[in-house]
Amino acid sequence: MIDFSNDLKALIDSPHKQWLDTLAPQLTTFNNNPHGNLKRWQRVIEQLPNIQTENYQLGDTVTVGSPEEASDSDRARITGLLQQLQPWRKGPFDLFGVFIDTEWRSDWKWQRVKPHIDDLTGKQVLDVGCGSGYHLWRMLEAGAKRVWGIDPGELFLMQFQAIRNMMPARYQSKAHFFPVGIEHMPELKSFDTVFSMGVLYHRRSPLAFLQELKSLIKPGGQLVLETIVVEGDETTVMLPGERYAQMRNVWFLPSAKALSVWLERLGFKDIAIVDHNTTSLEEQRRTDWMTGESLADFLDAKNPDLTVEGYKAPIRAVLTARV
Amino acid sequence: MIDFSNDLKALIDSPHKQWLDTLAPQLTTFNNNPHGNLKRWQRVIEQLPNIQTENYQLGDTVTVGSPEEASDSDRARITGLLQQLQPWRKGPFDLFGVFIDTEWRSDWKWQRVKPHIDDLTGKQVLDVGCGSGYHLWRMLEAGAKRVWGIDPGELFLMQFQAIRNMMPARYQSKAHFFPVGIEHMPELKSFDTVFSMGVLYHRRSPLAFLQELKSLIKPGGQLVLETIVVEGDETTVMLPGERYAQMRNVWFLPSAKALSVWLERLGFKDIAIVDHNTTSLEEQRRTDWMTGESLADFLDAKNPDLTVEGYKAPIRAVLTARV
Amino acid sequence: MIDFSNDLKALIDSPHKQWLDTLAPQLTTFNNNPHGNLKRWQRVIEQLPNIQTENYQLGDTVTVGSPEEASDSDRARITGLLQQLQPWRKGPFDLFGVFIDTEWRSDWKWQRVKPHIDDLTGKQVLDVGCGSGYHLWRMLEAGAKRVWGIDPGELFLMQFQAIRNMMPARYQSKAHFFPVGIEHMPELKSFDTVFSMGVLYHRRSPLAFLQELKSLIKPGGQLVLETIVVEGDETTVMLPGERYAQMRNVWFLPSAKALSVWLERLGFKDIAIVDHNTTSLEEQRRTDWMTGESLADFLDAKNPDLTVEGYKAPIRAVLTARV
Amino acid sequence: MIDFSNDLKALIDSPHKQWLDTLAPQLTTFNNNPHGNLKRWQRVIEQLPNIQTENYQLGDTVTVGSPEEASDSDRARITGLLQQLQPWRKGPFDLFGVFIDTEWRSDWKWQRVKPHIDDLTGKQVLDVGCGSGYHLWRMLEAGAKRVWGIDPGELFLMQFQAIRNMMPARYQSKAHFFPVGIEHMPELKSFDTVFSMGVLYHRRSPLAFLQELKSLIKPGGQLVLETIVVEGDETTVMLPGERYAQMRNVWFLPSAKALSVWLERLGFKDIAIVDHNTTSLEEQRRTDWMTGESLADFLDAKNPDLTVEGYKAPIRAVLTARV
C-alpha cells in the first residue's frame, strides 16, 4: 500500500486536476493488487537511515548529503538496502558518498537534450516513462514549477520514492510519480513540456502513442522525444524480428526524418531533429548497480556496428516539436 | 462549474479517501452537465456582501454576524439575493439580522434527535439527504471533527455554499457537501455516525437503502434514521398510491416497529425507537422563504388527522441503531 | 457446454428477438464458467435410453411412453440416471412407467391457477423461476404457441433438458429454458402471459421485481403471480428473520391484499386474488426423488400452524393482473 | 430497420457462432440509430421489379437474368432506382440487361488474386471491407460454402441487399453482410480464408489491424491482403500528408517487402507477394454509376506517375500468408 495522498492533493491544485478522475481508481487498483515484492521494497525504504543534511545538488550527479555527514556504517547500510532495488538504470545518484553508478549515464543524455528545450522555469513538466525519476530532478534544477513522472514499472516507483524520501520538503513537494501508462490518461492539454525518452519503440502503434503525447500538451507547449532510430530518409522504417539488441517488444524503428514526417502528419509544428547519436559502450554499460546484460552484450562482439541479431546497432535521436 | 478542490483535498486526508475513486468522476460529470440555473445561482452567491464579523453561533438558529454589523441596505441585499435560492426548507438561519424562516423548524427535529445520539466529539459524521446543510452545522456544534453531507439537489448545494461562504475558515474547512446519491457510494465503513432524515420513504427499495447506510458506517458506529411511519405493529407497512400528502415518489411507510424488524434483519444492533411524533402545523409550514404549499395544504382541511388523499397524516419517527 | 443453438434461432423468429443482445453473451459466460457438475449431468442425459414411442401426455402427470414400451432394465436405467439429478422439486413426470414423484404436487397448483388465467391458445408465455419446467409443458397443453422458462438454477436446466430430449420434435421446438435471472432481461413488452410462481419472497426488492415482470408483458397481457403471503389487510407485510420455514433468503411476505396494493401502485390493472391456500403436507413432502427436508420438517411438530421458527405457517396466494 | 434474422440464424449454425455475442447488440444499435437515408434506400430496394428468371452467373460480370426476360420499362425502372444508390464502386453487375458499370473493374482484381489463393471449395470465407459485396459472389462461384462480408458503410449494405434480393434462394442463403468494423470482432479463429482488399492504408495502426485479421483465421487458414504499397525495400514505409491521391485518412504505405516483414513479425507463415501492379486508368475510372472524381483526377495531369500531391502514383500489391 503506497500512500499517494500528497501527490493527489498536489494534483487537485494543478492544471491537471481532471486527471484525478481516472488516476484515483487506478491507484486503488494498484494498491489492491500489489506487486509481489512491494512490501519488501517498502521495508527497504523505511530502513534507510534518516540523516540530517542541508547539502543537495540536482546536478549531473543527483546528490544528497556529503560523505562527512555520514559514517561508513551508514554508507554500508544505504548500499546494502538500495542494492535490493536493482537494477538501477537511470542515474547517477550520490547519497552521502554512496555513488549509485547506474546502467545509463543519463546525465550525458540530459546534456544533449537540455540545450534544445524550452526554458522550464515555472513550468508544468511531464516525463512519460520516467524510470527511476533521475530526469525529474534535473527538470526541477532547470526551474520547473512541478514535475510529474509516469511509468508502469513498480520497481522504478520504489527507486523514486527512496530518493525522494531523502530530499528536502521543498523538492519533495514538487516531484510526483504515478505507476500508470499513458494510454489510460485523459486528454489534459495542460503540460508545458512533455518528455518521452526511450518509449516509442516499445509501442506497437507509434502514431497512437504520439497522438497521446500531443493530447497532454497545452497549446504552444513542447514535446521532447528521444528514441531509437535507424539511418535513412523520410520513408525508412525498420520493423525488427522478435528481438532487437536482445530486447523483446521492439516495434517500429523509423529514421529521424521519417519520425519528423510522422509528427508533422499528426499536426505537430516546429519539428526539429536536435540530436542524433550512437550510444557508446561508456554511456550504457553493466555496473555494480545493474549487474545484468547491457549494451556490450547486445552488440556483435566482432562488429559493434551490429546487434547480436545482425541489425544495425542502435542510434538514438532527439526530436523537439510544438503543439 | 463548482470548485470542489478543497473538499476533495479534505477527503484525501480523511478515513473516507476511497470515496475519491467514484466521487471525482461524478463531480466532473456534474460540472460538465450543469443544472440550467447553476450559473445564475453562482452569481447570487458571489454578489453577497462580504462583511467582517467574529460572531457565529451554530445554535438553534444558525447565526452569522449581528444586526449591528450590517446596514439596512446590506440586509436588503442579502434578502434579495438569498430569496433567489428559494425554496428554503431546512433551517432557520440568521445572517446579520436577516432571518431565514425556513419551511421546517429543523431545530425542533434536532432537539428531539440530539439526546439519543452518540457523543459526536471528534467524530466523522455523514448526513444523507442533507438539504441546505442546516444539521451539518449543528453536528459541528456538537463537536464533530468533520461533517459530510450528500444530496442530489443542486439548489441545496448552492444554499449550503451561500452559508458556508459566510462562515469562518475554522468551520468552512470542516463542512463538506457533495451533490451525489448514496446509491453510487462505495462501501466505506468509515463514518462514526450516519444520519438519514427524511429519505427512506422516497426509496422504492428501502432494504437496499438501509443496507447502503450500513455499508458506510464503521464497526461500532451509529445510524440515526428519521422517516415517515404509520401506526401499527411489526407487520404494518403501508404503500400509498401515486401521491401521499401531495408528494409523488412516496413508497413504503412502515410502522416504527416494522422498521425495527427491518433493521434487525439487516444485522443492525441496539435498535431503538427514540422518538415518535406527529408533525405539527407549526413545525412545517409556508413562510416567506418557502412560498409553495406546505403541510397545511397536504392535510384534509376538515380533519388534520388525514392527508388530502385520505391517508393517515404523517407521523415521523426517529430510530437509532448500531453496526 | 450446453448447445442453445436451436433455442436462439427460435428466439430470433419470435417477438422477443431483442432479448438476444443480452442473452447471447450471458449464455457464453454460462458455458465458459460451467457449474462443477455440469459435465457429469450431461453424461447422465446422454446415457438415457432412446426408446421410440408415440405416447405423450402433457397432463397432470407429464408422461412420455407407456410401461409396455420399455423393459424393466430400461426402467432401472432411467431411474438410476435421473436419480442423479436430485432433488426433483416440480412435477410429477412419468417416463415409460418410471414415476418421478417430485417434492411438489405441481399439478395441484396448476389446477388452482388454470381456471383464472387467460386462454393460452397461440400465446407467447414466459415462466420466471420455472424450475424443472413442469409448468412449461402444461402451458403447451393449454395451447401456447411457444413457452419460455428462465431459472438461474443449473440443475433445473438439466432436468428440463432430460425431459425435453424425450419429447417429440413438435414439443421440443416449442419449449425453451435459459439459465438466467430476470434482473438482466431487457424490457421486452412482448409476452402475452408471464407466470412467476414462488419467486417474489426471495427478492429483497419486491417492487423492483414486480416492475421487471411488468416490463416483459405486452399491453393487454397478463401476469400470474403465485407467492407466499400472510394473513392480513392492505398494510400487513411481514419480514421474517434470517430463516423462515428453514429457508434462508426469504424477504417481504405481504398479505394478498397488500400485494394487490403493490401491483396497483405499479400500474397493473384488473388485479384479482384468485386463490388463497394453506399448503398441505400432502402437496409438499419428502419423496424418493427429493430426499432432503420438506414442509413437515419446516413446521412446528406440535402445531402445524406455525413454522419451526414460530412464524405463521406459509399460505400461498395466486394473483392475476393485467398490463 | 434492416432485418438480419436469417443472417443471424445462419451465424448460429456456423463455426463463428461466438460472434453473436457482440454482433447482436451492434445490429440493434445500428437499427436504433439509422443512417439518415436508410429508409429512402430501403424503399428503392422494395420498388425493384420482381422478375422471374433462372439465369444467374457469378462470373466476371455478376449477372441476374437475361435482357429478353425484361421489358425496356423494367430496365428503365431498375436503372432509375439503382442510380439512387450511387456511388457504385465495386462491380460490374448486369441485371436483366442493365449493366452497372462500377468505378472499379473488380473482375480484373479478382483475376489477379484468384490464381494465388487456396481452393475455396466448402470453405468459410470472410471479406473485410467488402463494399458492394461483388467479391462475395465470386467467392461463392469459387465454391465457398458460406461467405461473410463486413463493411461499416451503410450504402454498401444497401447495394448488397439490392443485389442479394434478386439472387435465387440457394445463393441468398449463403451470402451475408454485416455493417460493422473488424475492430469490434471477437477472436474467432474460425474462417478458412480472410480477404482484406483496400483497407490497410486507412488504418492508423496497421499492425493492430493485421493482428485482428490473424485472430479471425483458423489454424492453417489463409490471409489474402490487397493494399496500396510503395516501391522500396524491407524498410521502406511512406506516411503521406493529410491527403494522398485526394484521399484523406491514408496512413502508412509500406513497400510490399516491408509489409512481408510486418506479417512475419506478427507470426504469419508462408508469406508471398503474389501480385504487384500499377492501377491503370482503365481499371479505376469515372462511369455513369460513379460520377464523382476517380483515379484520373487523383493523378498529376502532366505526369501520371505522380499523384496530384506529388507522391508516387499508387501501386497495389497482393500478399498471401498463412496462420
Side-chain angles (χ1 to χ4, degrees), chain A residues 88 92-93 99-103 105 285 287-290:
Chain A
W88 286 83
F93 300 94
F99 184 73
I100 302 185
D101 189 17
T102 52
E103 180 189 15
R105 292 293 306 259
R285 74 281 185 252
T287 70
D288 287 349
W289 293 83
M290 200 300 289

Side-chain angles (χ1 to χ4, degrees), chain C residues 26-74:
Chain C
Q26 282 173 325
L27 296 179
T28 298
T29 300
F30 176 86
N31 271 322
N32 287 345
N33 306 282
H35 185 281
N37 286 326
L38 199 69
K39 270 211 172 130
R40 187 167 67 75
W41 291 336
Q42 281 192 287
R43 261 196 310 272
V44 163
I45 293 174
E46 287 157 16
Q47 291 170 23
L48 286 170
N50 186 5
I51 306 166
Q52 295 303 310
T53 181
E54 286 305 319
N55 290 314
Y56 307 101
Q57 283 175 308
L58 304 184
D60 277 349
T61 297
V62 171
T63 303
V64 176
S66 64
E68 307 79 50
E69 293 171 312
S71 65
D72 283 352
S73 111
D74 285 335

Side-chain angles (χ1 to χ4, degrees), chain C residues 103-240:
Chain C
E103 179 188 17
W104 280 89
R105 293 291 308 259
S106 306
D107 47 334
W108 296 6
K109 184 172 293 185
W110 187 245
Q111 285 159 14
R112 286 195 301 271
V113 168
K114 182 71 174 39
H116 307 289
I117 64 174
D118 288 350
D119 179 5
L120 297 186
T121 308
K123 297 294 177 62
Q124 294 279 346
V125 183
L126 177 71
D127 188 4
V128 175
C130 63
S132 71
Y134 170 84
H135 289 112
L136 294 175
W137 304 113
R138 305 307 304 273
M139 294 166 196
L140 273 190
E141 179 197 32
K145 180 172 180 186
R146 208 173 269 284
V147 296
W148 309 84
I150 62 170
D151 200 307
E154 296 90 346
L155 178 63
F156 298 140
L157 170 66
M158 302 317 287
Q159 292 175 348
F160 170 79
Q161 294 220 336
I163 301 292
R164 185 171 67 169
N165 278 357
M166 295 189 169
M167 289 287 178
R170 70 181 182 278
Y171 293 162
Q172 286 200 23
S173 66
K174 290 177 172 176
H176 310 282
F177 182 125
F178 296 118
V180 296
I182 190 177
E183 62 273 25
H184 302 301
M185 286 183 72
E187 301 186 3
L188 292 171
K189 296 182 195 302
S190 60
F191 293 95
D192 296 289
T193 304
V194 169
F195 289 82
S196 171
M197 300 187 280
V199 178
L200 183 78
Y201 50 88
H202 287 315
R203 299 292 299 257
R204 202 178 61 177
S205 293
L207 294 189
F209 177 66
L210 295 173
Q211 185 61 49
E212 287 158 10
L213 291 170
K214 185 162 176 256
S215 74
L216 297 171
I217 302 169
K218 78 180 193 191
Q222 191 180 38
L223 171 69
V224 181
L225 181 67
E226 194 261 5
T227 188
I228 297 177
V229 294
V230 293
E231 297 284 0
D233 63 17
E234 286 80 356
T235 61
T236 306
V237 181
M238 182 172 96
L239 180 68

Side-chain angles (χ1 to χ4, degrees), chain A residues 303-317:
Chain A
N303 181 354
D305 291 347
L306 299 179
T307 70
V308 290
E309 300 89 1
Y311 296 107
K312 288 289 193 72
I315 312 168
R316 300 185 82 103

